[in-house]
Amino acid sequence: MYNNILVTGGCGFIGSNFIRTLFKNNNFKGNIINIDKLTYAANPLNLSDIEKNYKSRYFFEKSCICNFDNTDKIFKKYNIDCVVHFAAESHVDRSIESPLEFINTNITGTFSLLETARQNWKEKKDVLFHHISTDEVYGSLGETGFFYESTCYDPRSPYSASKASSDHLVRAYFHTYNLPVTITNCSNNYGPYQFPEKLIPFMILNMIKGKNLPVYGDGKNVRDWIYVDDHNEAVIKVIEKGIKGQTYNIGGETEMSNIDIVNLLCESVNDLIPASENKNMEKGKNYKDLIKFVKDRPGHDRRYAINCDKIKKDLSFNQSIPFEKGIKKTVEWYLNNTDWVDSILTGEYKNWIKKNYSDR
Ligand code: NAD
Ligand code: DAU
């Protein structure tokens, strides 16, 4: 295991859960340095327990990954020997509305980080640049078939095209400069601390507020869902035992259509807050009555399904949280963590960031 791990995007959904999981890992005795620009998707509250419990081993640097000089200083200051690169613009709908930031952060930002690693590590071998990527780089599947590590890239949204580009840069640095790298391409994550623009938290919170549940197109697009802790355990296995230069697919092996998920969420929320007791619900209505089929997302990929036999066989990875259990935990988390939810819905978290981080 490495001593000084630089996590980028650690205040976001998967990154903050990763930091929590890594500190709990018995093999890890080192420090975590988190670089985050604190975009709309970040919430330092995601790590308030970590700041308290790991004071001597957790360090936060507000910084943009595109800023080479800053990252270079941070590399030297903390003697970084491993990078786990989560930072990205991550929401497909936003990439359709406004792609520029996706190009800047996902492509230029990754390039800048790679360059910092190359210049600081030179010929060092006991270091690692681990890049977090997505199954969306492989494009869209029909009714059958799976994405393998060998599947040709065929990205179809500005988001997935920017992630594909960053994957290619990471591989180029391995082949050209011998930079020790690994890449993981993961399917759809869900769980605590996910920004409520993504399907699952968005639908849960809309139910609580008695608002419509907008399902794109016919609702039959399929995603492969994985609980965020399972994703992060898989990443830790790759960091510890993965072969340099290799790519590993990570997936939940749980294919679900969007409409089936929304129906399941309606039932799970109803178990905890029955619609009849929710003051925001019209009398006599069920949560399922809020479902509304709306205009489809442009270029909406039809189906994703990951084959993750390689990581299972080579690194003994297994998912531990079945979908129904994960959904129950997730619904409970959003219903119980009203302070976190309200800080986001009211925009209060942004004021908090301004107050506490404006000087950095
Ligand atoms: P997120 O949007 O919740 O968090 C992204 C974080 O990166 C935020 O904290 C943000 O402030 C930070 N960030 C953005 N631009 C930055 C910049 N220029 N400099 C420094 N920090 C910056 O994203 P997420 O869902 O946690 O995804 C994390 C990574 O995992 C991304 O690379 C994404 O492509 C990948 N991924 C996500 C999923 C998923 O289902 N969410 C699945 C597979 C892969
Ligand atoms: O597959 C991995 C990817 O999963 C990650 O790389 C991305 O960062 C992450 O955002 C996610 O992308 P998706 O586009 O699959 O996730 P999203 O939650 O936006 O949408 C999931 C599905 O639900 C998709 O088919 C679109 C649909 N959807 C989404 C929203 C927000 C709806 O029908 N209605 C909605 O309101």
Side-chain angles (χ1 to χ4, degrees):
M1 222 358 147
Y2 298 90
N3 292 319
N4 296 305
I5 300 189
L6 179 69
V7 172
T8 69
C11 295
F13 162 51
I14 307 177
S16 60
N17 281 295
F18 175 78
I19 291 175
R20 195 166 285 107
T21 301
L22 185 59
F23 271 131
K24 281 193 210 138
N25 186 297
N26 290 332
N27 293 340
F28 179 63
K29 309 277 180 240
N31 302 313
I32 297 179
I33 299 88
N34 171 15
I35 290 190
D36 199 299
K37 183 181 170 185
L38 300 181
T39 69
Y40 80 93
N43 191 341
L45 290 179
N46 293 359
L47 289 167
S48 45
D49 57 327
I50 298 291
E51 291 197 326
K52 209 166 75 205
N53 299 333
Y54 294 93
K55 270 199 181 97
S56 60
R57 295 172 63 200
Y58 171 74
F59 305 92
F60 176 67
E61 298 276 353
K62 179 173 183 271
S63 184
C64 174
I65 54 165
C66 300
N67 186 329
F68 175 87
D69 290 343
N70 260 2
T71 318
D72 187 54
K73 275 187 206 131
I74 291 165
F75 253 71
K76 294 185 165 64
K77 177 172 166 192
Y78 295 100
N79 196 17
I80 299 299
D81 57 0
C82 175
V83 174
V84 187
H85 176 32
F86 290 93
E89 287 294 333
S90 69
H91 193 46
V92 175
D93 291 331
R94 285 179 191 259
S95 82
I96 296 168
E97 286 294 312
S98 176
L100 181 61
E101 217 34 53
F102 288 71
I103 306 304
N104 288 341
T105 286
N106 299 1
I107 306 178
T108 312
T110 302
F111 160 71
S112 178
L113 269 180
L114 284 164
E115 200 43 31
T116 320
R118 178 173 85 89
Q119 292 188 21
N120 278 273
W121 290 342
K122 306 240 162 33
E123 295 302 310
K124 271 193 185 165
K125 293 275 175 281
D126 52 349
V127 290
L128 177 70
F129 188 108
H130 179 71
H131 179 58
I132 304 289
S133 192
T134 168
D135 60 357
E136 298 202 9
V137 297
Y138 297 124
S140 181
L141 291 165
E143 300 267 297
T144 57
F146 294 93
F147 297 136
Y148 296 86
E149 284 84 356
S150 56
T151 301
C152 284
Y153 276 29
D154 184 21
R156 292 149 46 100
S157 72
Y159 163 70
S160 53
S162 67
K163 291 296 290 186
S165 177
S166 62
D167 294 9
H168 288 318
L169 281 168
V170 175
R171 284 195 192 99
Y173 269 66
F174 173 74
H175 290 294
T176 310
Y177 304 113
N178 292 322
L179 188 78
V181 308
T182 42
I183 299 178
T184 44
N185 292 82
C186 188
S187 63
N188 285 60
N189 285 222
Y190 68 100
Y193 303 102
Q194 187 167 32
F195 194 80
E197 62 187 351
K198 307 284 180 357
L199 180 75
I200 289 178
F202 181 65
M203 293 296 169
I204 298 172
L205 298 192
N206 275 14
M207 279 177 232
I208 302 311
K209 290 180 286 173
K211 287 171 82 171
N212 279 339
L213 308 177
V215 175
Y216 300 162
D218 63 4
K220 295 199 176 126
N221 298 62
V222 169
R223 298 290 181 263
D224 170 356
W225 293 91
I226 184 166
Y227 193 73
V228 63
D229 290 350
D230 279 337
H231 177 190
N232 284 328
E233 291 292 354
V235 169
I236 292 173
K237 284 203 182 279
V238 174
I239 294 170
E240 282 190 303
K241 300 193 287 186
I243 295 174
K244 307 283 164 57
Q246 295 269 316
T247 291
Y248 296 87
N249 278 350
I250 304 172
E253 301 182 296
T254 308
E255 287 183 53
M256 295 283 292
S257 71
N258 295 334
I259 188 65
D260 284 349
I261 296 216
V262 174
N263 276 315
L264 178 66
L265 288 171
C266 288
E267 287 157 23
S268 296
V269 171
N270 198 63
D271 286 345
L272 295 172
I273 305 185
S276 56
E277 292 169 20
N278 181 341
K279 62 178 184 347
N280 295 320
M281 287 292 290
E282 223 176 282
K283 228 178 163 40
K285 294 257 185 204
N286 294 313
Y287 290 124
K288 287 185 188 175
D289 296 326
L290 300 174
I291 295 175
K292 193 165 173 230
F293 290 93
V294 299
K295 194 164 161 280
D296 210 352
R297 172 186 277 176
H300 196 176
D301 289 341
R302 191 63 174 171
R303 175 171 164 263
Y304 302 147
I306 275 271
N307 176 295
C308 53
D309 287 353
K310 178 177 170 181
I311 191 168
K312 288 178 120 180
K313 188 166 151 282
D314 293 358
L315 306 183
S316 313
F317 167 70
N318 271 305
Q319 306 88 348
S320 66
I321 306 191
F323 190 67
E324 307 261 322
K325 186 174 164 202
I327 282 291
K328 194 166 176 283
K329 271 162 77 99
T330 303
V331 168
E332 278 168 7
W333 190 88
Y334 283 95
L335 299 189
N336 290 334
N337 285 273
T338 45
D339 286 354
W340 185 90
V341 167
D342 290 346
S343 79
I344 288 194
L345 294 184
T346 59
E348 188 47 40
Y349 79 109
K350 288 193 189 140
N351 296 335
W352 195 82
I353 288 174
K354 263 195 213 132
K355 200 169 129 218
N356 290 284
Y357 295 97
S358 57
D359 57 329
R360 302 204 202 179

PDB file of all heavy atoms in Angstrom, residues 260-274:
ATOM      1  N   ASP A 260     -38.285   0.399 -13.922  1.00  0.00           N
ATOM      2  CA  ASP A 260     -38.324  -0.581 -12.818  1.00  0.00           C
ATOM      3  C   ASP A 260     -37.686   0.004 -11.556  1.00  0.00           C
ATOM      4  O   ASP A 260     -38.161  -0.215 -10.440  1.00  0.00           O
ATOM      5  CB  ASP A 260     -37.593  -1.878 -13.210  1.00  0.00           C
ATOM      6  CG  ASP A 260     -38.436  -2.716 -14.162  1.00  0.00           C
ATOM      7  OD1 ASP A 260     -39.631  -2.396 -14.342  1.00  0.00           O
ATOM      8  OD2 ASP A 260     -37.893  -3.679 -14.748  1.00  0.00           O
ATOM      9  N   ILE A 261     -36.619   0.771 -11.745  1.00  0.00           N
ATOM     10  CA  ILE A 261     -35.966   1.394 -10.569  1.00  0.00           C
ATOM     11  C   ILE A 261     -36.911   2.391  -9.922  1.00  0.00           C
ATOM     12  O   ILE A 261     -37.056   2.422  -8.703  1.00  0.00           O
ATOM     13  CB  ILE A 261     -34.693   2.146 -10.989  1.00  0.00           C
ATOM     14  CG1 ILE A 261     -33.692   1.166 -11.545  1.00  0.00           C
ATOM     15  CG2 ILE A 261     -34.125   2.975  -9.848  1.00  0.00           C
ATOM     16  CD1 ILE A 261     -32.278   1.456 -11.235  1.00  0.00           C
ATOM     17  N   VAL A 262     -37.545   3.218 -10.745  1.00  0.00           N
ATOM     18  CA  VAL A 262     -38.407   4.261 -10.170  1.00  0.00           C
ATOM     19  C   VAL A 262     -39.568   3.599  -9.416  1.00  0.00           C
ATOM     20  O   VAL A 262     -39.918   4.019  -8.301  1.00  0.00           O
ATOM     21  CB  VAL A 262     -38.886   5.245 -11.269  1.00  0.00           C
ATOM     22  CG1 VAL A 262     -39.890   6.247 -10.698  1.00  0.00           C
ATOM     23  CG2 VAL A 262     -37.689   5.983 -11.873  1.00  0.00           C
ATOM     24  N   ASN A 263     -40.114   2.530  -9.991  1.00  0.00           N
ATOM     25  CA  ASN A 263     -41.195   1.820  -9.283  1.00  0.00           C
ATOM     26  C   ASN A 263     -40.712   1.248  -7.956  1.00  0.00           C
ATOM     27  O   ASN A 263     -41.386   1.363  -6.927  1.00  0.00           O
ATOM     28  CB  ASN A 263     -41.753   0.695 -10.169  1.00  0.00           C
ATOM     29  CG  ASN A 263     -42.802   1.237 -11.135  1.00  0.00           C
ATOM     30  OD1 ASN A 263     -43.683   2.012 -10.753  1.00  0.00           O
ATOM     31  ND2 ASN A 263     -42.697   0.862 -12.394  1.00  0.00           N
ATOM     32  N   LEU A 264     -39.497   0.662  -7.977  1.00  0.00           N
ATOM     33  CA  LEU A 264     -38.947   0.088  -6.746  1.00  0.00           C
ATOM     34  C   LEU A 264     -38.718   1.190  -5.693  1.00  0.00           C
ATOM     35  O   LEU A 264     -38.997   1.008  -4.492  1.00  0.00           O
ATOM     36  CB  LEU A 264     -37.628  -0.626  -7.072  1.00  0.00           C
ATOM     37  CG  LEU A 264     -36.865  -1.241  -5.919  1.00  0.00           C
ATOM     38  CD1 LEU A 264     -37.666  -2.397  -5.303  1.00  0.00           C
ATOM     39  CD2 LEU A 264     -35.502  -1.771  -6.382  1.00  0.00           C
ATOM     40  N   LEU A 265     -38.225   2.336  -6.157  1.00  0.00           N
ATOM     41  CA  LEU A 265     -37.992   3.454  -5.225  1.00  0.00           C
ATOM     42  C   LEU A 265     -39.320   3.921  -4.616  1.00  0.00           C
ATOM     43  O   LEU A 265     -39.377   4.253  -3.424  1.00  0.00           O
ATOM     44  CB  LEU A 265     -37.304   4.615  -5.940  1.00  0.00           C
ATOM     45  CG  LEU A 265     -35.826   4.396  -6.310  1.00  0.00           C
ATOM     46  CD1 LEU A 265     -35.327   5.526  -7.215  1.00  0.00           C
ATOM     47  CD2 LEU A 265     -34.954   4.304  -5.059  1.00  0.00           C
ATOM     48  N   CYS A 266     -40.372   3.954  -5.435  1.00  0.00           N
ATOM     49  CA  CYS A 266     -41.689   4.373  -4.913  1.00  0.00           C
ATOM     50  C   CYS A 266     -42.095   3.448  -3.760  1.00  0.00           C
ATOM     51  O   CYS A 266     -42.583   3.914  -2.720  1.00  0.00           O
ATOM     52  CB  CYS A 266     -42.750   4.296  -6.014  1.00  0.00           C
ATOM     53  SG  CYS A 266     -42.587   5.581  -7.258  1.00  0.00           S
ATOM     54  N   GLU A 267     -41.857   2.155  -3.953  1.00  0.00           N
ATOM     55  CA  GLU A 267     -42.242   1.206  -2.896  1.00  0.00           C
ATOM     56  C   GLU A 267     -41.361   1.376  -1.657  1.00  0.00           C
ATOM     57  O   GLU A 267     -41.853   1.376  -0.523  1.00  0.00           O
ATOM     58  CB  GLU A 267     -42.146  -0.232  -3.420  1.00  0.00           C
ATOM     59  CG  GLU A 267     -43.278  -0.550  -4.397  1.00  0.00           C
ATOM     60  CD  GLU A 267     -42.960  -1.695  -5.367  1.00  0.00           C
ATOM     61  OE1 GLU A 267     -42.093  -2.521  -5.050  1.00  0.00           O
ATOM     62  OE2 GLU A 267     -43.593  -1.722  -6.451  1.00  0.00           O
ATOM     63  N   SER A 268     -40.046   1.553  -1.888  1.00  0.00           N
ATOM     64  CA  SER A 268     -39.131   1.687  -0.734  1.00  0.00           C
ATOM     65  C   SER A 268     -39.429   2.948   0.066  1.00  0.00           C
ATOM     66  O   SER A 268     -39.412   2.916   1.310  1.00  0.00           O
ATOM     67  CB  SER A 268     -37.681   1.780  -1.194  1.00  0.00           C
ATOM     68  OG  SER A 268     -37.291   0.631  -1.813  1.00  0.00           O
ATOM     69  N   VAL A 269     -39.679   4.055  -0.629  1.00  0.00           N
ATOM     70  CA  VAL A 269     -39.975   5.299   0.100  1.00  0.00           C
ATOM     71  C   VAL A 269     -41.298   5.140   0.841  1.00  0.00           C
ATOM     72  O   VAL A 269     -41.431   5.533   2.011  1.00  0.00           O
ATOM     73  CB  VAL A 269     -40.001   6.521  -0.864  1.00  0.00           C
ATOM     74  CG1 VAL A 269     -40.512   7.766  -0.154  1.00  0.00           C
ATOM     75  CG2 VAL A 269     -38.603   6.777  -1.433  1.00  0.00           C
ATOM     76  N   ASN A 270     -42.263   4.503   0.165  1.00  0.00           N
ATOM     77  CA  ASN A 270     -43.582   4.335   0.795  1.00  0.00           C
ATOM     78  C   ASN A 270     -43.502   3.493   2.078  1.00  0.00           C
ATOM     79  O   ASN A 270     -44.250   3.726   3.026  1.00  0.00           O
ATOM     80  CB  ASN A 270     -44.556   3.702  -0.200  1.00  0.00           C
ATOM     81  CG  ASN A 270     -45.989   3.915   0.217  1.00  0.00           C
ATOM     82  OD1 ASN A 270     -46.455   5.056   0.286  1.00  0.00           O
ATOM     83  ND2 ASN A 270     -46.684   2.843   0.560  1.00  0.00           N
ATOM     84  N   ASP A 271     -42.561   2.526   2.106  1.00  0.00           N
ATOM     85  CA  ASP A 271     -42.401   1.709   3.316  1.00  0.00           C
ATOM     86  C   ASP A 271     -41.988   2.572   4.508  1.00  0.00           C
ATOM     87  O   ASP A 271     -42.329   2.280   5.653  1.00  0.00           O
ATOM     88  CB  ASP A 271     -41.300   0.647   3.108  1.00  0.00           C
ATOM     89  CG  ASP A 271     -41.788  -0.477   2.214  1.00  0.00           C
ATOM     90  OD1 ASP A 271     -43.008  -0.579   2.014  1.00  0.00           O
ATOM     91  OD2 ASP A 271     -40.928  -1.225   1.696  1.00  0.00           O
ATOM     92  N   LEU A 272     -41.219   3.629   4.246  1.00  0.00           N
ATOM     93  CA  LEU A 272     -40.703   4.458   5.355  1.00  0.00           C
ATOM     94  C   LEU A 272     -41.569   5.690   5.601  1.00  0.00           C
ATOM     95  O   LEU A 272     -41.797   6.083   6.739  1.00  0.00           O
ATOM     96  CB  LEU A 272     -39.260   4.879   5.059  1.00  0.00           C
ATOM     97  CG  LEU A 272     -38.261   3.723   5.003  1.00  0.00           C
ATOM     98  CD1 LEU A 272     -36.915   4.193   4.519  1.00  0.00           C
ATOM     99  CD2 LEU A 272     -38.124   3.062   6.374  1.00  0.00           C
ATOM    100  N   ILE A 273     -42.015   6.311   4.526  1.00  0.00           N
ATOM    101  CA  ILE A 273     -42.928   7.469   4.658  1.00  0.00           C
ATOM    102  C   ILE A 273     -44.123   7.195   3.737  1.00  0.00           C
ATOM    103  O   ILE A 273     -44.082   7.533   2.537  1.00  0.00           O
ATOM    104  CB  ILE A 273     -42.249   8.794   4.234  1.00  0.00           C
ATOM    105  CG1 ILE A 273     -40.958   9.010   5.013  1.00  0.00           C
ATOM    106  CG2 ILE A 273     -43.195   9.973   4.403  1.00  0.00           C
ATOM    107  CD1 ILE A 273     -40.284  10.348   4.735  1.00  0.00           C
ATOM    108  N   PRO A 274     -45.161   6.574   4.258  1.00  0.00           N
ATOM    109  CA  PRO A 274     -46.304   6.276   3.386  1.00  0.00           C
ATOM    110  C   PRO A 274     -46.840   7.555   2.729  1.00  0.00           C
ATOM    111  O   PRO A 274     -46.889   8.616   3.378  1.00  0.00           O
ATOM    112  CB  PRO A 274     -47.342   5.689   4.353  1.00  0.00           C
ATOM    113  CG  PRO A 274     -46.552   5.215   5.526  1.00  0.00           C
ATOM    114  CD  PRO A 274     -45.366   6.126   5.628  1.00  0.00           C
TER     115      PRO A 274
END
